[in-house]
């Protein structure tokens, strides 16, 4: 019950942060809003008490894994195939170099033992695929650097986890078993790819068999797609926890499954358009919610860590030096590496270096240290240092990108033109309604809906329509069929107007045409779906 309550609090908080961001703070990244709400929750004793203690395995398995699955599904497998060498270079070569430089530098500057320094360094290497937006809000990230950061963050978690396990064994046993570490990496990463590929391939086959089965078309067994949606939602959890149970990288398995499902989605959308649309909307909703939950949890845990008097390193402020050292070492190595190995120009190299944001995975790995034989004081140092690293990795690029990246251009004339064309399109639909000679009831209802397309209906008008529908008896089947015919006629009139403006008058661009045409299609789908359901 406590876990259920905790989950409910986090989900509600995520929804509140999204509403605040979209309604009142659209120019601020939702990640910062979520982080602030997490801090507020931690400040209020009642709310803070409703949220369970942090569990890294649950956090990664239930929140990070589906996020990476969705992120993988938004990435074409072909893109990964064309950049395999770059991915290996960034997620193995650069990650190992970052860990070595950060570990040696931290040990030299602070006097910490090498095993502890390398624990800190290993945790600092994974970057967060979901956090980049928080530092580029309103700015244009070059496509090459954006692709590199995305591919790196999808696959570098396994490297960080293997390096962390090596460093912990070094800390506990006093030596490093290099052959075993190398084998662990190959088995974990390679096993994750194989397990993710095989299992996701079987899941794709099962989904496609259910989708394309003749039984489906004869008796509509899976017409609403619910079983397929359930299988889809179960996929990241099955892959992550299944992979971890086998000792391979569950994260890599989840990411690879997302890549496999990307190709499936591209070639099966029209087999069941309603299902494809529902899944697309579902992915968007869950991605927004889970991403907000990540930063809410981050805010809660950062403040809990700061307020916990038992979390200190013998009264020393060394954790500040360590956190800064870890951030600077990773930043400089990333810059030098892509300059020399990937031959990026100076500006592009700095963008890539600064774009390596640390977040959920870094924080989760820091908490896994508590489950090992690492001393409590050393764990406290890890927790505080990595928390500072996360904050620096978000704040520094947020500030520097204001000068380094160009602003996203907003064509106000195009927006105004689209608004004007939308209004004229709606008027064409209204004229078509009035020409049909419908009953006053049907005419008023359809015109109200058409005006709603442009937001030109008031609350008072909505309340009046709502009261009318509450009092109105249910439509008969014949009335519903007539109403659907009228709506189809009206939407066709809107389409004809739009096509005339685009193809004959050349009064709108292709982008404006596509956006407005999509609005008509979505409106028609909603109306007709309601009619079919009735």
């Amino acid at each position: 019950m406590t876990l259920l309550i905790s989950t409910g609090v986090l989900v509600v908080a995520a929804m509140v942060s999204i509403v605040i961001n979209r309604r009142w703070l659209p120019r601020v990244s939702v990640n910062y809003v979520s982080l602030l709400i997490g801090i507020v929750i931690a400040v209020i004793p009642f709310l803070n008490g409703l949220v369970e203690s942090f569990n890294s395995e649950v956090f990664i398995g239930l929140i990070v894994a589906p996020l990476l699955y969705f992120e993988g599904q938004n990435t074409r497998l072909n893109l990964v195939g064309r950049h395999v060498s770059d991915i290996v270079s960034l997620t193995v070569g650069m990650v190992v170099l970052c860990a070595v430089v950060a570990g040696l530098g931290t040990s030299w500057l602070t006097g910490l033992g090498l095993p502890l320094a390398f624990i800190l360094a290993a945790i600092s290497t994974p970057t967060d695929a979901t956090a980049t937006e928080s530092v580029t809000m309103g700015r244009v990230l070059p496509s090459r650097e954006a692709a590199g950061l995305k591919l790196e963050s999808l696959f570098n978690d396994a490297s960080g986890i293997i390096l962390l396990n090596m460093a912990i064994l070094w800390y506990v046993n006093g030596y490093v078993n290099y052959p075993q570490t190398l084998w662990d990496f190959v088995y974990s990463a390679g096993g994750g790819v194989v397990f993710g590929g095989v299992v996701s391939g079987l899941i794709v086959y099962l989904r496609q068999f259910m989708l394309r089965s003749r039984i489906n078309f004869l008796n509509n067994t899976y017409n609403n797609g619910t079983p397929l949606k359930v299988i889809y939602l179960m996929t990241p959890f099955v892959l992550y926890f299944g992979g971890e149970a086998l000792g391979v990288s569950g994260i890599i398995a989840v990411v690879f499954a997302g890549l496999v499902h990307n190709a499936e989605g591209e070639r099966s959308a029209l087999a069941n358009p309603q299902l494809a649309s529902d899944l697309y909307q579902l992915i968007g909703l869950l991605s927004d919610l889970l991403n907000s939950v990540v930063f809410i949890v981050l805010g809660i845990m950062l403040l809990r860590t700061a307020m916990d008097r038992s979390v200190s390193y013998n009264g020393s402020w060394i954790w500040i030096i360590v956190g800064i050292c870890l951030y600077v070492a990773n930043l400089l190595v990333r810059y030098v590496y892509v300059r020399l190995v990937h031959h990026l120009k100076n500006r592009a190299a700095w963008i890539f270096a600064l774009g390596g944001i640390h977040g959920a995975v870094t924080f989760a790995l820091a908490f896994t240290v508590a489950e090992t034989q690492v001393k409590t004081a050393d764990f406290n140092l890890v927790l505080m240092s990595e928390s500072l690293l996360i904050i620096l990795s978000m704040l520094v690029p947020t500030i520097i990108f204001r000068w380094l990246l160009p602003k996203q251009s907003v064509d106000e004339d195009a927006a105004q033109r689209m608004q004007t064309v939308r209004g004229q399109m709606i008027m064409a639909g209204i004229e078509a309604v009035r020409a049909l000679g419908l009953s006053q009831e049907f005419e008023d209802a359809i015109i109200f809906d058409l005006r709603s397309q442009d937001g030109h209906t008031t609350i008072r008008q909505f309340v009046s329509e709502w009261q009318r529908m509450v009092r109105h008896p249910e439509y008969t089947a014949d009335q519903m069929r007539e109403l659907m015919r009228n709506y189809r006629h009206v939407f066709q009139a809107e389409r004809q107007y739009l096509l005339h403006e685009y193809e004959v008058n050349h009064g709108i661009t292709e982008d404006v045409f596509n956006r407005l045409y999509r609005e008509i299609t979505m409106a028609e789908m909603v109306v007709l779906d309601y009619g079919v359901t009735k």
Side-chain angles (χ1 to χ4, degrees):
M1 182 59 73
T2 55
L3 181 61
L4 183 62
I5 294 173
S6 179
T7 302
V9 170
L10 294 176
V11 170
V12 171
M15 290 188 286
V16 170
S17 68
I18 292 171
V19 170
I20 291 175
N21 173 254
R22 303 284 170 85
R23 179 63 180 86
W24 292 289
L25 299 171
R27 295 186 179 181
V28 179
S29 170
V30 68
N31 295 343
Y32 284 120
V33 177
S34 300
L35 192 68
L36 181 60
I37 287 180
I39 291 173
V40 170
I41 290 174
V43 167
I44 301 173
F46 172 72
L47 293 178
N48 187 46
L50 295 177
V51 180
E52 284 283 281
S53 300
F54 187 84
N55 184 300
S56 57
E57 185 175 353
V58 171
F59 181 70
I60 294 178
L62 298 185
I63 298 177
V64 176
L67 266 177
L68 291 175
Y69 175 66
F70 298 147
E71 193 69 27
Q73 191 165 359
N74 289 329
T75 307
R76 294 201 64 187
L77 189 57
N78 177 268
L79 177 67
V80 175
R82 287 188 286 112
H83 294 278
V84 169
S85 59
D86 290 338
I87 293 171
V88 173
S89 174
L90 293 173
T91 60
V92 179
M94 189 180 72
V95 164
V96 171
L97 189 59
C98 283
V100 170
V101 173
L104 293 176
T106 300
S107 178
W108 177 67
L109 283 174
T110 62
L112 294 175
L114 281 175
L116 179 58
F118 271 85
I119 288 176
L120 289 158
I123 295 172
S124 72
T125 54
T127 52
D128 195 333
T130 64
T132 306
E133 182 192 345
S134 63
V135 300
T136 59
M137 190 73 176
R139 301 283 160 172
V140 179
L141 188 65
S143 57
R144 181 180 179 183
E145 289 73 63
L149 289 168
K150 184 175 186 178
L151 293 174
E152 178 208 2
S153 60
L154 283 174
F155 291 97
N156 64 5
D157 298 335
S159 301
I161 292 171
I162 297 300
L163 289 173
L164 176 60
N165 291 337
M166 179 204 75
I168 290 174
L169 289 174
W170 186 7
Y171 181 98
V172 174
N173 300 327
Y175 63 90
V176 180
N177 188 336
Y178 292 105
Q180 184 63 41
T181 299
L182 180 60
W183 166 247
D184 287 344
F185 176 79
V186 173
Y187 177 76
S188 178
V193 170
V194 173
F195 179 75
V198 171
V199 176
S200 61
L202 292 173
I203 292 174
V204 166
Y205 179 82
L206 175 63
R207 280 164 46 87
Q208 291 301 311
F209 176 79
M210 295 172 66
L211 185 63
R212 301 174 189 277
S213 171
R214 181 171 176 79
I215 299 175
N216 178 22
F217 293 101
L218 290 176
N219 61 15
N220 293 323
T221 305
Y222 308 115
N223 188 53
N224 61 8
T226 298
L228 296 168
K229 295 172 193 174
V230 171
I231 293 173
Y232 175 83
L233 291 177
M234 288 173 57
T235 299
F237 306 114
V238 170
L239 284 159
Y240 176 77
F241 290 108
E244 291 297 312
L246 292 175
V248 302
S249 174
I251 290 295
I252 294 292
V254 164
V255 170
F256 198 78
L259 297 171
V260 171
H261 281 74
N262 171 271
E264 180 209 12
E266 285 186 354
R267 303 315 311 152
S268 62
L270 296 186
N272 189 330
Q274 181 68 59
L275 173 64
S277 176
D278 289 349
L279 285 179
Y280 178 80
Q281 300 298 328
L282 187 63
I283 290 172
L285 174 62
L286 292 179
S287 295
D288 287 345
L289 279 177
L290 292 175
N291 186 62
S292 291
V293 168
V294 164
F295 285 90
I296 288 168
V297 171
L298 196 58
I300 292 172
M301 299 313 301
L302 284 175
L303 195 69
R304 283 181 179 178
T305 301
M307 297 177 66
D308 191 345
R309 295 182 179 179
S310 66
V311 178
S312 64
Y313 192 73
N314 299 325
S316 171
W317 293 89
I318 191 175
W319 60 274
I320 296 179
I321 300 173
V322 173
I324 295 174
C325 182
L326 292 173
Y327 179 69
V328 172
N330 277 275
L331 180 67
L332 294 179
V333 171
R334 291 172 63 85
Y335 170 78
V336 173
Y337 189 88
V338 294
R339 279 281 282 170
L340 298 181
V341 178
H342 292 261
H343 309 293
L344 294 188
K345 295 181 179 180
N346 181 58
R347 179 175 174 272
W350 278 118
I351 291 173
F352 181 86
L354 289 163
I357 314 302
H358 303 278
V361 176
T362 299
F363 208 74
L365 290 182
F367 269 89
T368 62
V369 175
E371 302 165 7
T372 66
Q373 299 179 42
V374 172
K375 297 176 183 176
T376 302
D378 290 343
F379 165 70
N380 292 341
L381 175 64
V382 169
L383 195 56
M384 292 186 294
S385 302
E386 302 297 348
S387 298
L388 180 59
L389 167 74
I390 293 170
I391 294 172
L392 288 174
S393 74
M394 293 178 65
L395 288 180
V396 172
T398 298
I399 296 170
I400 295 179
F401 279 166
R402 301 304 98 180
W403 290 276
L404 199 58
L405 296 179
K407 270 188 176 183
Q408 286 181 341
S409 59
V410 178
D411 191 341
E412 295 183 359
D413 291 337
Q416 181 60 43
R417 176 61 180 158
M418 186 169 70
Q419 185 71 7
T420 301
V421 173
R422 183 189 286 114
Q424 293 169 347
M425 177 188 78
I426 292 170
M427 285 306 302
I430 291 174
E431 290 172 5
V433 173
R434 290 172 175 162
L436 288 173
L438 303 177
S439 66
Q440 194 63 43
E441 177 189 345
F442 275 12
E443 181 175 306
D444 289 346
I446 295 176
I447 289 177
F448 174 83
D449 285 341
L450 292 178
R451 292 191 185 279
S452 297
Q453 288 181 283
D454 204 20
H456 286 167
T457 52
T458 65
I459 292 292
R460 185 174 181 179
Q461 288 173 321
F462 167 75
V463 171
S464 175
E465 278 293 303
W466 177 74
Q467 290 175 337
R468 184 183 68 81
M469 290 304 298
V470 169
R471 293 191 297 265
H472 195 282
E474 187 172 1
Y475 288 131
T476 65
D478 289 339
Q479 287 176 320
M480 285 301 302
R481 282 192 287 270
E482 180 188 355
L483 191 58
M484 293 304 104
R485 283 196 299 270
N486 295 331
Y487 271 112
R488 286 198 301 271
H489 179 80
V490 169
F491 289 134
Q492 185 59 30
E494 289 189 337
R495 283 195 185 90
Q496 288 173 350
Y497 171 82
L498 206 57
L499 284 166
H500 189 269
E501 279 295 302
Y502 175 60
E503 295 180 348
V504 179
N505 293 342
H506 305 292
I508 55 176
T509 64
E510 185 174 357
D511 289 340
V512 171
F513 171 79
N514 288 337
R515 289 185 62 181
L516 292 177
Y517 197 91
R518 178 180 180 275
E519 288 182 13
I520 298 171
T521 304
M522 291 295 294
E524 186 171 30
M525 184 184 74
V526 169
V527 170
L528 294 181
D529 186 57
Y530 174 74
V532 171
T533 303
K534 292 290 287 185

